[in-house]
């Protein structure tokens, strides 16, 4: 018979035949020749060899894999041995079952002997890969009990190669071993510690990969001993990473960050007592500018997960201040593209250390108490932006971090605004474009996040306009326009009027000139903000503005579509602003047509549809029931948007095709390359244009139901199921808007539903209202219940509570309850609507969930490892266990604001038992007003207390809580830093003085004295006197509280005279 070698052509061809035929007469005796032919450089020879081998495997089956193993073990040529092992790895599982049990045992023993005896590392690794394949089929069945002991012996062998391959096998087999032999877990941990401390770098790196596999496959809820084993790996992993970096092997060090990522995400208890070392190492790596940017980013990513999900661990370990001291300078570090001289490339921000550091600072500000964050940031910024600092990188970082922490540390920044605003405004004129851009970003963030920041508009906006006239850098232009957008939106109509013409002049220049597309879009956003705030002040400019908007609205180029969308926003604001319905009446049909054109399938641009929904909503708000002719078409567009696929994005066409086939197939002839993608899965587009579009559609439906309820009523039943589904959408932005829209649907249904015919009969008043409108009420309140029970996003939960409060108040008003009058709870449960709420268990259920929020036990507040002490032993000795009991990030107040809306509404419909039912809530609120809590939290807690007290009216429950609460209010009036807290406490004190009766009589004098302090004149300004209390709302509340207190005193005196 012809052999394969005899069939080889004399010269290799450029391309192998499409389907080579196997060599005739080939047997297993020809296997060495076939393997050598597979190594040939000649394409035709390889093709024949591949076909021949495939035929042999098909015909010989178990005999063929045994023969492959013999050649992997015994061929004189190392290349042939390696190839035999590689082929064996691909074929062994498909034919394993054809081997008799005795032969399987011999096969496994031969494999292990090959791992030990093979002198060539590459061949040894290839044989080890076969061991891994066979183990995955046999170990779970208990059919290779000798393997773990063998690996343990290899891991302790004096031979470096044996130790390395042992850990290579551990890395590939850990899932199998841990999943089926938990008794080996302690042994694995001890072996891995030894491997991580090995003298050989190759062994240490292999052990690091094995440790990663162990951490990845560790039981999610492992025992205390298993957690301790993982904990013992943390410091050795850090040591390997340090050594790898020192040796210039950064790729090996990156494995350590993968281990840390896995531990932080899945096994956080393993970091107990190790947080300080982990953060210190990551900070050291991130700050090393001589290291590769990828390595430095990986270090920051490891800490970012802690900051996002385990902020209390960082606070308890007292690492937040030193972490910030390291991070703040990195926020001004040049991006890699700029270092390479390619500053104009619009590259991915994720590629930069600066961006990752800024995000980490933001996470710390959002999730850690401000007292750990703001002092470090202010100290750094004070030095960095000083006139003496000539380093533009530090100036950039100093200004940038002020904007980065604005959302999370708004309360503290509010007090520092007088000191912060001037240097940041001055930075708009800095010689460095990075500093100017950071200053504009910070100013915009101040307006968006910091209460009363816009009081400084006279200093900020003229400087921004001046900067725009001389700025040449496109990015700085865009960010400076963002300043206008953020500040103009939040000004009162009288304050914004002087800025309308300068804003429009810039807009005209951008539209008429050759400004960059992004800058033009930003300018139109600023015009929309000005239009919303300015009202009638815009009307004189309509003749010049509207033709330019039309120019934007008729553009169809890809780069023009974002500006076209923002032009729709401008039109919507012009229509809905004060006086807009009349001034824009002739232009409404054209505006509606322009918005509808954005839904054209040929354009297929989500942002145009998003802003189209926005214009429809604004127009409905302005026109009310006159919007009815437009409603059916607008609702059809909303329905289409809400039914859009949310979008699944695959990494490649292969992944997409694999998903369509239904997952991984078992192809025994698949190559190694195909196996490398095992388990890659799907990347979901968590946030996209579709998300914003769906949120806008929900907002639009809410506007229709609220603004033109008579016209919308026939559509309520059709949209309720869709919006209920949106309330469980994967993205919190959509969920929040869906809750609000469901509430509007319920209110619309209640408004148009006829009142129960027997509602006036006292003996039937408590019969539950049977109106179909309550099906929508139930849907809305059930969605709120799900959010409070399951949603982990605070903004979405807050939106759900606010929506539920609106629905409950609408039900109460339908029953004839006067919610503005005190003591609504006395009769609030007697109506048929309230009876329906109680029958549906809505009042009791939502009240219980609100209590969980007040106690910090809601899903959106919980950290599953709150009970774990992550501090080192020394830190535990230095810090009392209860020091951080009351610590909470400022943004924790968001979900409390939802309680401030919902709880008073629940009290109003709770009935005669309200006082007893809500006693735990009063106790929880009393803890929330302790001085150790942030001022914002105390302010919301007082606001909640006073509204609950009003709903209860004069009662024994009020007299129990009034003395302590009033004492707190009096103290806050005198010492609170923020106007919001003083304002709420002044109002709360007045209500308590009025309803507290004799229980607070002794405190009224102290209260009046404190209120007089708020109403006093500031004598330091001479003839041009000012109020001692600058906030007008606080003064109004103080005056009202004084009147209530004096009225209560007069009433008490009158009662005493009557008795006498």
């Amino acid at each position: 018979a012809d052999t394969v070698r005899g069939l080889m052509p004399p010269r290799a061809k450029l391309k192998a035949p499409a389907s080579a035929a196997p060599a005739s007469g080939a047997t297993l005796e020809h296997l060495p020749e076939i393997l050598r032919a597979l190594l040939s450089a000649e394409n035709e020879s390889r093709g024949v060899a591949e076909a021949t081998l495939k035929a042999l495997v098909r015909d010989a089956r178990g005999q063929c894999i045994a023969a492959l193993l013999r050649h992997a073990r015994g061929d004189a040529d190392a290349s042939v041995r390696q190839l035999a092992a590689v082929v064996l790895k691909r074929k062994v599982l498909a034919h394993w079952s054809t081997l008799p049990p005795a032969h399987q045992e011999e096969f496994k023993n031969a494999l292990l002997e090959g791992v030990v005896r093979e002198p060539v590392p590459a061949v040894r690794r290839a044989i080890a890969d076969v061991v891994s394949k066979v183990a995955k089929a046999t170990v779970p069945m208990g059919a290779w009990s000798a393997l773990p002991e063998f690996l343990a012996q290899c891991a302790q062998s004096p031979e470096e190669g044996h130790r390395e391959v042992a850990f290579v096998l551990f890395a590939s087999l850990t899932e199998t071993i841990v999943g089926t032999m938990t008794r080996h877990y302690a042994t694995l941990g001890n072996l891995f510690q030894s491997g991580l401390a090995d003298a050989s770098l190759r062994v240490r790196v292999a052990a690091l990969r094995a440790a990663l596999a162990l951490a990845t496959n560790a039981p999610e809820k492992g025992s205390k001993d298993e957690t301790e084993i993982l904990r013992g790996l943390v410091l050795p992993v850090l040591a390997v990473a340090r050594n790898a970096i020192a040796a210039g092997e950064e790729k090996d060090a990156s494995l350590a960050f993968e281990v840390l990522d896995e531990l932080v995400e899945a096994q956080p208890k393993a970091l107990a007592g190790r947080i300080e070392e982990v953060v210190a190492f990551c900070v050291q790596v991130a700050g090393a500018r001589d290291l590769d940017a990828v390595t430095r980013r990986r270090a920051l990513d490891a800490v970012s997960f802690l900051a996002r999900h385990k902020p209390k661990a960082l606070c308890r370990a007292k690492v937040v201040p030193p972490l910030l001291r390291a991070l703040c300078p990195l926020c001004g570090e040049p991006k890699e593209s700029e270092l390479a001289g390619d500053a104009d490339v619009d590259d991915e921000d994720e590629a930069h250390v600066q961006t990752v550091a800024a995000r980490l600072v933001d996470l710390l500000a959002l999730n850690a108490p401000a007292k750990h964050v703001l002092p470090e940031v202010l100290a750094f910024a004070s030095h960095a932006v000083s006139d003496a600092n000539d380093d533009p990188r530090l100036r950039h970082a100093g200004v940038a971090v002020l904007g980065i922490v604005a959302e999370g540390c708004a309360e503290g920044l509010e007090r520092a605004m007088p000191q912060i605003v001037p240097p940041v405004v001055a930075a708009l004129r800095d010689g460095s474009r990075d500093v100017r851009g950071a200053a504009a970003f910070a100013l915009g963030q101040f307006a968006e996040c910091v209460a009363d920041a816009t009081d400084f508009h006279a200093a900020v906006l003229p400087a921004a306009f001046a900067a725009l006239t001389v700025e040449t850098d496109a990015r700085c232009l865009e960010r400076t326009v963002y300043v206008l957008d953020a500040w103009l939106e939040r000004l009162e109509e009288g304050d914004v009027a002087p800025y309308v013409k300068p804003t429009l002049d810039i807009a005209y220049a951008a539209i008429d000139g050759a400004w960059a597309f992004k800058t033009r879009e930003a300018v139109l956003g600023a015009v929309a903000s000005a239009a919303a705030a300015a009202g009638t002040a815009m009307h004189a400019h309509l003749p010049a503005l509207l033709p330019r908007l039309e120019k934007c609205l008729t553009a169809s180029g890809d780069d023009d579509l974002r500006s076209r969308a923002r032009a729709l926003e401008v039109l919507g604001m012009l229509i809905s602003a004060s006086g807009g319905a009349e001034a824009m009446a002739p232009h409404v049909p054209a505006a509606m047509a322009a918005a509808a054109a954005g839904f054209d399938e040929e354009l297929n641009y989500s942002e145009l549809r998003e802003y189209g929904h926005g214009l429809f909503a604004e127009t409905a708000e302005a026109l009310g029931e006159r919007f009815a002719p437009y409603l059916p078409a607008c609702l059809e567009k909303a329905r289409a948007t809400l039914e859009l696929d949310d979008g699944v994005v695959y990494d490649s066409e292969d992944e997409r095709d694999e998903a369509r086939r239904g997952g991984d197939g078992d192809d025994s002839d698949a190559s190694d390359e195909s196996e490398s993608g095992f388990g890659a899965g799907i990347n979901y587009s968590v946030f996209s244009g579709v998300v914003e579009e769906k949120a806008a559609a929900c907002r639009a439906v809410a506007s229709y139901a609220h603004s033109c309820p008579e016209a919308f009523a026939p559509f309520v039943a059709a949209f309720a199921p869709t919006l209920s589904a949106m309330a469980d959408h994967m993205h919190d932005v959509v969920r929040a808007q869906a809750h609000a829209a469901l509430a509007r649907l319920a209110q619309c249904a209640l408004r148009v539903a006829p009142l129960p015919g027997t509602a006036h009969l006292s003996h039937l008043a408590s019969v539950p209202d049977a109106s179909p409108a309550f099906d929508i009420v139930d849907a809305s309140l059930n969605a709120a219940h799900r959010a409070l029970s399951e949603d982990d996003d605070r903004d979405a939960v807050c939106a759900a509570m606010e929506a539920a409060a609106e629905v409950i108040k609408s039900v109460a008003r339908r029953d004839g309850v006067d919610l503005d009058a005190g003591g609504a709870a006395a009769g609030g449960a007697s109506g048929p609507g309230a009876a329906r709420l109680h029958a549906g268990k809505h009042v009791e259920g939502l009240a219980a969930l609100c209590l969980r929020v007040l106690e910090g036990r809601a899903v959106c507040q919980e950290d599953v490892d709150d009970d774990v002490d992550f501090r080192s032993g020394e830190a535990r000795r230095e810090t009392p266990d209860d020091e951080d009991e009351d610590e909470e990030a400022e943004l924790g107040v968001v979900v409390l604001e939802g309680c401030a809306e919902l709880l008073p509404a629940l009290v109003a419909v709770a009935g005669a038992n309200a006082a007893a039912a809500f006693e735990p809530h009063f106790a929880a609120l009393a803890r929330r007003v302790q001085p150790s809590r942030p001022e914002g939290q105390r302010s919301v807690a007082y606001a909640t207390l006073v509204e609950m007290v009003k709903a209860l009216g004069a009662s024994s429950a009020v007299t129990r809580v009034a003395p302590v609460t009033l004492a707190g209010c009096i103290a806050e009036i005198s010492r609170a830093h923020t106007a919001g807290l003083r304002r709420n406490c002044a109002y709360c004190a007045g209500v308590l003085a009025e309803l507290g009766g004799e229980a607070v009589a002794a405190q009224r004098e102290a209260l009046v004295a404190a209120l007089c302090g708020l109403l006093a004149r500031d004598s330091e300004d001479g003839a041009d006197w000012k109020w001692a209390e600058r906030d007008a709302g606080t003064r109004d509340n103080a005056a009202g509280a004084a009147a209530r207190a004096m009225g209560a005193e007069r009433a008490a005196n009158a009662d005493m005279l009557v008795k006498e």
Side-chain angles (χ1 to χ4, degrees):
D2 291 333
T3 64
V4 173
R5 186 180 297 277
L7 293 175
M8 295 296 176
R11 280 186 288 185
K13 297 181 180 180
L14 292 177
K15 187 176 182 180
S19 58
S24 60
T27 68
L28 289 178
E29 294 179 359
H30 300 111
L31 190 57
E33 288 88 347
I34 295 173
L35 292 171
R36 287 180 174 83
L38 287 172
L39 296 171
S40 171
E42 298 179 347
N43 291 340
E44 187 172 349
S45 298
R46 287 201 312 276
V48 173
E50 289 171 359
T52 304
L53 179 61
K54 186 173 183 179
L56 277 179
V57 171
R58 182 187 64 239
D59 297 336
R61 299 171 65 79
Q63 294 178 0
C64 186
I65 62 172
L68 285 168
L69 177 59
R70 285 196 301 273
H71 289 292
R73 290 284 320 280
D75 198 285
D77 187 338
S79 298
V80 173
R81 296 200 303 276
Q82 182 179 2
L83 180 59
V86 170
V87 174
L88 181 58
K89 174 189 173 184
R90 297 177 184 174
K91 310 295 183 182
V92 65
L93 290 187
H95 305 288
W96 178 254
S97 62
T98 65
L99 292 176
H103 290 182
Q104 289 181 354
E105 289 301 315
E106 293 175 3
F107 195 101
K108 290 184 288 187
N109 292 335
L111 280 175
L112 298 183
E113 187 176 354
V115 170
V116 173
R117 296 185 180 277
E118 174 57 53
V120 180
V123 180
R124 187 164 58 242
R125 290 286 294 273
I127 296 174
D129 287 341
V130 183
V131 172
S132 176
K133 275 284 188 184
V134 174
K136 289 178 180 179
T138 57
V139 170
M141 308 299 295
W144 203 352
S145 57
L147 180 60
E149 182 61 29
F150 169 79
L151 294 178
Q153 292 176 358
C154 276
Q156 300 172 77
S157 167
E159 294 289 332
E160 177 189 33
H162 293 167
R163 299 196 304 278
E164 179 188 14
V165 80
F167 287 110
V168 169
L169 279 169
F170 273 130
S172 64
L173 295 175
T174 297
E175 179 180 5
T176 301
I177 293 175
V178 171
T180 59
M181 300 180 180
T182 55
R183 65 183 182 276
H184 292 289
Y185 201 83
T187 301
L188 291 175
N190 293 332
L191 289 174
F192 289 3
Q193 286 195 46
S194 299
L196 292 168
D198 199 281
S200 164
L201 176 61
R202 286 167 46 197
V203 176
R204 293 198 301 272
V205 172
L208 197 56
R209 295 183 186 278
L212 174 60
L214 183 67
T216 302
N217 296 290
E220 185 175 349
K221 296 183 179 179
S223 66
K224 182 177 180 181
D225 291 339
E226 289 169 341
T227 300
E228 192 61 28
I229 289 166
L230 288 174
R231 182 174 176 271
L233 296 179
V234 174
L235 295 184
V237 164
L238 296 180
V240 172
R242 286 193 184 94
N243 292 333
I245 288 174
E249 301 292 339
E250 292 186 37
K251 289 184 179 179
D252 295 334
S254 68
L255 286 172
F257 295 117
E258 291 187 45
V259 177
L260 294 177
D261 287 346
E262 193 63 42
L263 291 176
V264 169
E265 183 171 356
Q267 306 290 335
K269 293 181 180 180
L271 295 176
R274 297 287 185 261
I275 292 287
E276 296 94 324
E277 290 91 341
V278 169
V279 172
F281 173 67
C282 291
V283 164
Q284 178 187 359
V285 172
R289 289 188 169 90
D290 57 324
L291 297 180
D292 186 79
V294 174
T295 305
R296 299 171 66 196
R297 291 199 308 271
R298 291 303 308 275
L300 292 173
D301 286 339
V303 184
S304 293
F305 196 93
L306 279 171
R308 185 183 300 276
H309 297 286
K310 306 295 172 191
K312 289 186 178 179
L314 295 176
C315 295
R316 289 171 179 168
K318 298 188 179 301
V319 297
V320 174
L323 180 56
L324 284 164
R325 287 194 286 272
L327 290 173
C328 285
L330 297 181
C331 294
E333 184 165 308
K335 296 181 178 180
E336 285 81 82
S337 59
E338 296 170 357
L339 292 173
D342 194 12
D344 294 327
V345 175
D346 187 14
D347 45 14
E348 293 291 338
D349 283 347
E350 287 78 1
H352 305 298
V353 172
Q354 176 200 115
T355 304
V356 180
R359 289 176 180 169
L360 181 46
V361 172
D362 184 38
L363 282 173
L364 291 170
L366 292 174
N367 297 329
K371 72 177 186 180
H372 297 294
V373 177
L374 191 57
E376 294 296 333
V377 169
L378 291 179
F380 171 77
S382 176
H383 162 71
V385 301
S386 67
D387 294 336
N389 189 350
D390 58 358
D391 184 348
R393 296 183 182 184
L394 274 182
R395 296 200 305 276
H396 174 199
V399 176
V401 293
L402 292 173
I404 291 167
V405 303
E407 183 180 7
C409 299
E411 185 179 296
L413 283 177
E414 181 184 355
R415 299 194 292 270
M417 280 289 103
Q419 293 76 42
I420 291 174
V421 169
V424 176
V425 168
L428 290 173
R429 303 187 300 272
D430 196 278
S432 165
R433 69 166 192 169
D434 291 331
V435 178
R436 298 195 303 274
F441 163 74
L443 289 171
Q445 287 292 287
F446 294 163
E448 288 192 359
C449 305
V450 181
D452 300 326
T454 49
D455 290 348
F456 296 88
H457 67 87
V460 172
L461 288 175
F465 284 117
L468 285 170
T469 62
V470 296
E471 184 59 72
T472 57
D473 181 82
R475 290 184 179 179
C476 289
L477 273 173
E478 184 179 343
R479 288 190 171 184
T480 308
V481 171
Y482 161 60
V483 176
L484 303 185
D485 191 352
W487 285 70
L488 293 173
E489 181 181 2
R490 290 161 179 82
L491 292 181
E492 298 294 332
E493 184 171 344
D495 291 330
V496 78
Y499 305 117
V500 168
K501 187 177 185 304
T503 302
L504 291 176
D505 288 342
I506 292 169
Y508 298 159
I511 296 170
D512 297 341
W515 285 37
F517 295 110
K518 287 186 176 180
T519 309
R520 187 186 308 166
E521 176 198 353
V523 169
L524 286 168
V527 174
S529 294
T536 57
M538 292 289 292
H539 296 167
H541 303 280
L542 292 179
L545 174 60
L546 292 177
R548 289 178 167 91
L549 292 179
E550 183 178 3
K551 176 182 177 182
C552 296
L553 292 169
T554 54
S556 57
D558 290 345
D559 292 330
D560 295 312
L561 294 182
R562 292 176 68 91
S563 295
R564 177 171 169 174
R566 298 311 288 264
L568 288 176
E569 183 186 22
V570 177
L571 279 178
M573 295 301 106
L574 288 171
I575 293 169
S576 64
S578 174
E582 294 75 21
M584 291 291 293
H587 310 288
V588 165
M592 293 292 292
F599 289 79
D600 192 317
E601 290 184 1
E602 292 186 5
L603 291 173
N604 191 25
Y605 193 60
S606 182
E607 195 163 347
L608 264 180
R609 298 193 296 268
E610 172 196 342
Y611 282 92
H613 288 305
L615 183 139
F616 296 155
E618 298 297 335
T619 305
E621 180 182 329
L623 299 186
E625 293 293 349
R626 290 177 292 160
F627 188 77
Y630 300 108
L631 186 60
C634 293
L635 286 174
E636 179 59 28
K637 290 177 172 58
R639 182 199 57 76
T641 287
L642 294 174
E643 291 178 356
L644 283 173
D645 189 281
D646 288 303
V648 179
V649 179
Y650 298 97
D651 286 334
S652 66
E653 292 184 4
D654 291 340
E655 278 191 24
R656 179 199 61 200
D657 295 339
E658 183 65 36
R660 288 175 178 171
R661 289 195 299 269
D664 294 307
D666 183 14
D667 183 0
S668 60
D669 292 323
S671 67
D672 285 346
E673 286 77 8
S674 67
E675 293 173 9
S676 66
F678 179 79
I682 297 170
N683 287 334
Y684 288 94
S685 178
V686 176
F687 193 89
S688 66
V690 174
V691 169
E692 292 283 20
E693 184 183 342
K694 286 192 173 185
C698 288
R699 284 194 297 269
V701 174
S703 179
Y704 306 149
H706 179 65
S707 302
C708 47
E710 296 291 340
F712 183 80
F715 302 95
V716 167
F719 272 88
T722 302
L723 290 171
S724 293
M726 290 296 105
D728 298 317
H729 190 270
M730 66 178 181
H731 202 282
D732 57 279
V733 172
V734 177
R735 296 198 301 274
Q737 294 300 328
H739 286 299
L742 268 175
R744 292 304 192 193
L745 258 66
Q747 290 176 314
C748 176
L750 289 170
R751 179 171 175 174
V752 300
L755 292 170
T758 58
H760 64 284
L761 300 177
S762 59
H763 65 287
L764 293 177
S766 60
V767 175
D769 193 327
S771 168
F774 277 86
D775 293 339
I776 315 300
V777 169
D778 288 339
S780 178
L781 297 181
N782 287 337
H785 195 287
R786 293 196 304 273
L788 279 159
S789 304
E790 304 167 6
D791 204 322
D792 61 359
D793 183 81
R794 293 180 176 182
D795 290 318
V797 172
C798 178
M801 287 192 285
E802 291 173 344
E806 289 300 313
V807 172
I808 291 170
K809 286 188 284 189
S810 293
V811 171
R813 293 190 182 100
R814 176 180 168 87
D815 283 347
V817 177
D818 184 358
L819 295 173
D820 296 324
S830 61
R836 176 67 179 262
L837 295 179
H838 283 279
K841 304 296 183 184
H842 294 305
V843 178
E844 297 85 345
L846 291 172
L849 291 168
C850 283
L851 182 60
R852 291 182 65 86
V853 171
L854 294 179
E855 294 176 344
R857 298 183 294 113
V859 171
C860 64
Q861 297 166 302
E862 283 184 343
D863 180 342
V864 294
D865 297 302
D866 271 353
D867 58 337
V868 179
D869 194 341
F870 288 92
R871 298 170 294 175
S872 64
E874 181 180 353
R876 282 195 293 270
R877 288 189 296 272
E878 292 178 354
T879 308
D881 289 338
D882 59 351
E883 180 179 286
D884 60 351
E885 181 181 351
D886 289 339
E887 289 189 352
E888 189 170 354
E890 281 188 18
L891 286 193
V893 77
V894 170
V895 73
L896 297 180
E897 290 173 346
C899 278
E901 296 294 331
L902 181 53
L903 274 173
L906 291 171
V907 172
V909 296
N913 194 39
F918 288 92
E919 188 170 341
H921 301 75
F922 279 111
L925 286 166
R927 291 191 291 274
R928 292 277 180 181
V929 299
Q930 295 300 311
S932 58
R933 301 281 184 166
E935 287 201 359
Q937 186 181 133
R938 304 203 305 268
S939 179
V940 175
Y942 278 116
T944 311
L945 274 166
V946 69
E947 294 302 329
M948 292 175 69
V949 165
K950 279 183 61 180
L952 286 173
S955 64
S956 58
V958 171
T959 57
R960 284 198 300 272
V961 303
V964 175
T965 306
L966 182 55
C969 288
I970 293 171
E972 298 285 15
I973 288 171
S974 303
R975 72 183 179 207
H977 293 287
T978 56
L981 178 54
R982 295 193 301 274
R983 188 185 312 130
N984 285 350
C985 284
Y987 177 68
C988 184
V991 173
L992 292 172
E994 182 179 35
L995 300 178
E998 289 298 316
V1000 297
Q1003 297 171 284
R1004 290 195 183 106
E1005 185 176 348
L1007 170 60
V1008 172
L1011 294 173
C1012 288
L1014 296 179
L1015 297 171
R1017 296 179 176 182
D1018 190 342
S1019 60
E1020 295 181 1
D1021 291 314
D1024 298 327
W1025 63 270
K1026 296 181 180 179
W1027 293 104
E1029 170 56 55
R1030 299 293 195 264
D1031 181 66
T1034 302
R1035 296 197 303 271
D1036 289 344
N1037 284 356
R1044 288 175 185 268
M1046 290 185 288
E1049 184 70 29
R1050 285 196 300 271
N1053 292 336
D1055 288 343
M1056 187 178 297
L1057 288 173
V1058 170
K1059 291 177 182 179
E1060 292 178 354

